[in-house]
Amino acid sequence: SREANQIETELKSTPNILGYTAGELQHFPNVLVAETPSGEFAGACISKDLLFNWTDIAMLYVLPKFRGYGIGGKLFREAFARAQARRRHIYVLSRNPSVIRLMEQSEMKIARAAWQAPLALHLYNQYHMSSLYRLSEAIRKSRMRRDDGQRFVAATKRYEP
């Protein structure tokens, strides 16, 4: 789709998201899309269900011209609410200060070390990073990152009945 191609292109410009191919983007079952009142594509949020009842809010992206209007927050809160409604544990990894604030506002447990991520995520990442596309993007994006003091922050919210 046009939106998947647009997101693939946009994700290549940010050092914060490894990215997905347009083909991958079109096959995720849990995708939220934001549009303007006139129907213009503004952003998307992807959640991935993992093993052991975990959901990873894996990608949140708002096109630059639509930032600052609360679209990212609405997408994040909706993805979070949907995962909670399905009684899922939730995982988020980001170095974007706005997303980190959303994680804190959602009362997620912040972890400062990657090894603290749930086992389901460690297992999924073995598969996820086996893509040559993703490996090349990881190398390319590691060169894009400035030493801006931002670090990746992981957060979890366990479902409690």
Side-chain angles (χ1 to χ4, degrees):
S1 78
R2 192 185 90 233
E3 291 87 0
N5 289 323
Q6 187 174 7
I7 283 286
E8 178 184 14
T9 301
E10 290 286 333
L11 291 180
K12 288 182 179 184
S13 70
T14 176
N16 298 332
I17 303 172
L18 274 184
Y20 300 93
T21 65
E24 289 173 317
L25 291 166
Q26 292 179 68
H27 289 96
F28 285 115
N30 297 316
V31 179
L32 297 171
V33 174
E35 293 181 338
T36 65
S38 64
E40 189 176 357
F41 176 70
C45 183
I46 293 174
S47 298
K48 297 186 288 192
D49 286 347
L50 308 176
L51 296 173
F52 313 124
N53 206 41
W54 280 94
T55 293
D56 178 13
I57 299 178
M59 186 208 77
L60 174 61
Y61 191 81
V62 176
L63 277 72
K65 70 180 181 177
F66 297 112
R67 292 180 188 160
Y69 297 102
I71 294 169
K74 288 177 185 174
L75 287 168
F76 181 91
R77 285 187 289 279
E78 180 63 23
F80 196 92
R82 287 183 182 195
Q84 283 188 314
R86 295 184 305 119
R87 300 179 168 141
R88 307 280 301 178
H89 307 301
I90 303 167
Y91 176 82
V92 181
L93 175 70
S94 183
R95 68 189 296 269
N96 180 313
S98 297
V99 175
I100 294 168
R101 274 192 302 282
L102 290 166
M103 292 163 27
E104 292 167 344
Q105 290 168 4
S106 300
E107 299 179 349
M108 298 184 79
K109 180 180 177 185
I110 304 296
R112 301 287 177 188
W115 64 267
Q116 294 176 315
L119 175 61
L121 192 75
H122 289 291
L123 294 172
Y124 179 78
N125 277 342
Q126 297 304 310
Y127 161 76
H128 183 67
M129 291 305 294
S130 67
S131 156
L132 290 178
Y133 172 78
R134 203 117 35 250
L135 286 172
S136 66
E137 280 294 279
I139 293 166
R140 186 179 72 79
K141 290 191 177 204
S142 69
R143 294 179 187 139
M144 286 174 67
R145 288 190 194 105
R146 302 171 306 203
D147 187 15
D148 55 9
Q150 294 179 344
R151 300 286 177 252
F152 281 101
V153 173
T156 57
K157 179 82 172 190
R158 290 188 172 272
Y159 169 73
E160 298 187 20

